[in-house]
Amino acid sequence: MKKPVLKIDKLSKSFGAIKANDNLNLNLFRNEIHALIGPNGSGKSTLVKQISGFLKQDSGQIYLEEIDISNCSAEHRSRMGIARSFQISSVINSFKVIDNLRLSLMGRDGGYLNPLNNIYRNKDYSDEAFDLLNIVDLTNKANDLVSTLSHGDKRKLEISLALSMKPKLFLFDEPMAGLDKISSQLMIDLFKKLKVKAPILLIEHDMESVFALADRISVLDYGSLIASGNEKEIKSNSKVQEVYLGDEN
Amino acid sequence: MMSEKKLNFLILLFLLLVPLFSMLLNDIYITTLFSKIIILAIAGIGLNLILGYGGMVSFGHAAFFGLGGYVTGILAFHFNNYEPIQILVFEFEGTNQLLFIWIFTLIFSSILALFIGYFSLRTTGVYFIMITLAFAQMLYYFSISWPTYGGEDGLSLSLRNQIPFLNTMDPITFFYICYVWLIITIILVKFILNSPLGISLKASKENEDRVRSVGINPKKVKLISFIISGAITGLAGSLYADLNRFVSPTILSWQMSGEIMILVILGGMFRLYGPILGAFFYIILEQFLGGITENWQFWLGFIILLEVLYAKAGIMSFLIKDKYDEKTSS
């Protein structure tokens, strides 16, 4: 039997009387893109925040390669190999593109409290940063200030930051949001390559992208999992049609 | 208008030549005045590490400045009185040797910064300002009510503490001691700003979530930076006590914290040499305006108001080519 890279076991989270996640179970396996869809407020982003350690669950467990990480801090989980992007692009805008990569490489290696080594003279980091930028086609903007980048380029930078962590899994929260059709297609092609490196848990509202990418789709509604399956199963599920997809699908 | 590098070089060159100008003008007070400027600049560089580069608005750096002063004063006081310092059942001799005094100052300031930083960094924004202020005020009131070391009247040092083969009572010698410490501080902070700790600090100031998502603990980064900042400011306090041969609760007061912060803002945050220019203008304004009117602080406040409204990057931004930006590297 295949062992999941990520296992969510009976995860619950409430904000006052509102149940954001209710007794959720979910697995993410190697070489797969698992899309999480659902209406706004269904608890998708809350789930990503709990997996990445930015939010503490009320109950339930999270396992990364069978290790219980439920009580680990966000930074510890990142070093363990959980790489994420944010719903709204979250990069260091006042840094150059390459310095964002340098930051994440030294974060990954854990030497970030060193007060004396000159990070700008570390050739290994520079070389690795350029390799990562090459994957997302940003090498020509390596020395640009991030604040001058377009929205699409910031998204690409976030992907390269996630890649730099040598991840065991990717958590991508609405990576196509705000992208035009060409950029979305580039992102889709990129994700297809990335899933070989590490499985992807993808939150996305753009159903075209979801159906183009996802090996498996899970649907959340009011914090509960209402369906899980492949594209065909999800499209034909009457409950999913009712709460999310509508009649046109 | 000139490049930042050129301006920095000119600042250091000018300071190096101050004793010469002082001798040419036959006014040794100028050298002493610039010793004070350099000492405040060191304190400002210490604060700027966390304020400008780390976004931590500490309103309690007088705690470290004052502790440095009191460590210096107390060690010299016991040396001169031949009385050992008693802590519980332990006894320690005092000393007048600056090399030892500086080491003790750095150790004690670091420990205090660790303590204050550990609790203060649990808060942010206005609460951080208030808690750092509260710690400094605690020490201020403690020093007032400590009669052994002069209480409200403070503690006088009959002579400056010593370094072998140097006459520290000579204003020019003492000036160059301060100058060397300024150079050491600049080199140290420049190293830090280009190091993993420095880049993590600057990133933590802007986006803690991003920093955490690449495996960095921003609290640890801030705490280590806070300790280094406190140690630098403590050292400046030690030099200040020796410069004046006097230490009193005034250097632990919130006004002292405010003074250090003002000179950082005046000179320019995010610039390594900003606090040097800030200290220079602050002291010169104090001297100049103080000679004209008793209410010189009013006019100083007016000048700061203009600066905050029209030149957020401080005096440095008027003198150099590149305009306001929160620099990512020094």
Side-chain angles (χ1 to χ4, degrees), chain A residues 195-226:
Chain A
K195 78 169 186 177
V196 184
K197 291 180 188 286
I200 298 172
L201 186 64
L202 175 73
I203 293 181
E204 190 51 61
H205 280 295
D206 176 10
M207 294 315 295
E208 227 174 276
S209 304
V210 168
F211 292 137
L213 277 169
D215 301 296
R216 214 147 47 96
I217 302 167
S218 292
V219 188
L220 284 183
D221 188 36
Y222 290 109
S224 298
L225 198 65
I226 58 167

Side-chain angles (χ1 to χ4, degrees), chain A:
Chain A
M1 191 183 160
K2 275 202 295 182
K3 285 179 182 169
V5 175
L6 176 75
K7 185 181 172 190
I8 308 288
D9 187 24
K10 296 175 185 163
L11 204 69
S12 292
K13 178 75 191 173
S14 298
F15 298 105
I18 299 164
K19 282 186 175 175
N21 289 148
D22 188 14
N23 219 19
L24 270 182
N25 293 304
L26 195 125
N27 290 324
L28 181 65
F29 294 97
R30 222 166 285 283
N31 295 323
E32 87 167 342
I33 295 179
H34 189 153
L36 208 55
I37 63 171
N40 286 330
S42 59
K44 306 182 296 294
S45 292
T46 303
L47 179 62
V48 165
K49 282 179 189 165
Q50 288 175 93
I51 298 169
S52 55
F54 281 78
L55 203 59
K56 177 88 179 134
Q57 72 279 7
D58 293 339
S59 62
Q61 260 73 42
I62 303 164
Y63 298 92
L64 178 68
E65 291 185 334
E66 298 185 316
I67 299 167
D68 187 354
I69 59 163
S70 312
N71 295 314
C72 294
S73 65
E75 48 271 21
H76 190 191
R77 291 183 205 198
S78 304
R79 285 201 298 275
M80 288 176 85
I82 295 183
R84 71 169 292 192
S85 74
F86 292 80
Q87 200 170 15
I88 297 165
S89 293
S90 182
V91 281
I92 309 295
N93 283 304
S94 65
F95 279 22
K96 288 176 182 171
V97 169
I98 192 161
D99 291 342
N100 272 265
L101 263 309
R102 284 184 173 123
L103 177 80
S104 87
L105 291 172
M106 69 188 200
R108 178 196 71 194
D109 293 345
Y112 62 88
L113 293 178
N114 185 329
L116 294 175
N117 278 358
N118 191 325
I119 190 80
Y120 303 101
R121 288 189 191 150
N122 188 322
K123 195 174 176 302
D124 291 344
Y125 281 170
S126 298
D127 292 346
E128 195 175 345
F130 270 102
D131 290 344
L132 290 159
L133 289 174
N134 194 31
I135 294 171
V136 295
D137 198 22
L138 270 183
T139 33
N140 58 338
K141 295 184 177 171
N143 287 309
D144 289 5
L145 268 182
V146 174
S147 56
T148 65
L149 293 186
S150 67
H151 174 66
D153 284 345
K154 282 186 184 176
R155 285 294 195 202
K156 284 184 187 173
L157 176 59
E158 277 205 296
I159 306 296
S160 70
L161 289 172
L163 261 171
S164 72
M165 300 305 290
K166 288 189 179 158
K168 289 178 180 155
L169 70 93
F170 292 107
L171 301 172
F172 291 143
D173 196 352
E174 297 188 34
M176 318 288 179
L179 296 185
D180 57 31
K181 266 211 158 356
I182 298 168
S183 302
S184 288
Q185 190 53 52
L186 287 172
M187 208 60 98
I188 288 169
D189 296 340
L190 181 63
F191 285 0
K192 281 178 180 168
K193 288 181 203 162
L194 289 187
K195 78 169 186 177
V196 184
K197 291 180 188 286
I200 298 172
L201 186 64
L202 175 73
I203 293 181
E204 190 51 61
H205 280 295
D206 176 10
M207 294 315 295
E208 227 174 276
S209 304
V210 168
F211 292 137
L213 277 169
D215 301 296
R216 214 147 47 96
I217 302 167
S218 292
V219 188
L220 284 183
D221 188 36
Y222 290 109
S224 298
L225 198 65
I226 58 167
S228 194
N230 59 29
E231 180 184 344
K232 202 176 164 190
E233 289 164 338
I234 292 298
K235 277 181 173 172
S236 60
N237 186 307
S238 58
K239 200 168 179 193
V240 175
Q241 283 188 1
E242 185 190 326
V243 302
Y244 191 59
L245 293 179
D247 293 334
E248 70 268 25
N249 288 299

Side-chain angles (χ1 to χ4, degrees), chain B residues 1 20-21 26 28 39 44 56 91 93 100-101 105 112 117 191 222 251 266 269 294 306-307 320:
Chain B
M1 287 283 186
L20 186 68
F21 302 141
N26 201 21
I28 204 66
I39 291 167
M56 290 173 263
E91 287 190 349
E93 296 295 324
F100 290 118
I101 287 172
T105 299
L112 181 67
F191 258 103
K222 287 183 174 182
I251 60 169
L266 196 64
M269 292 191 286
E294 270 182 25
L306 287 179
E307 193 218 308
I320 56 177

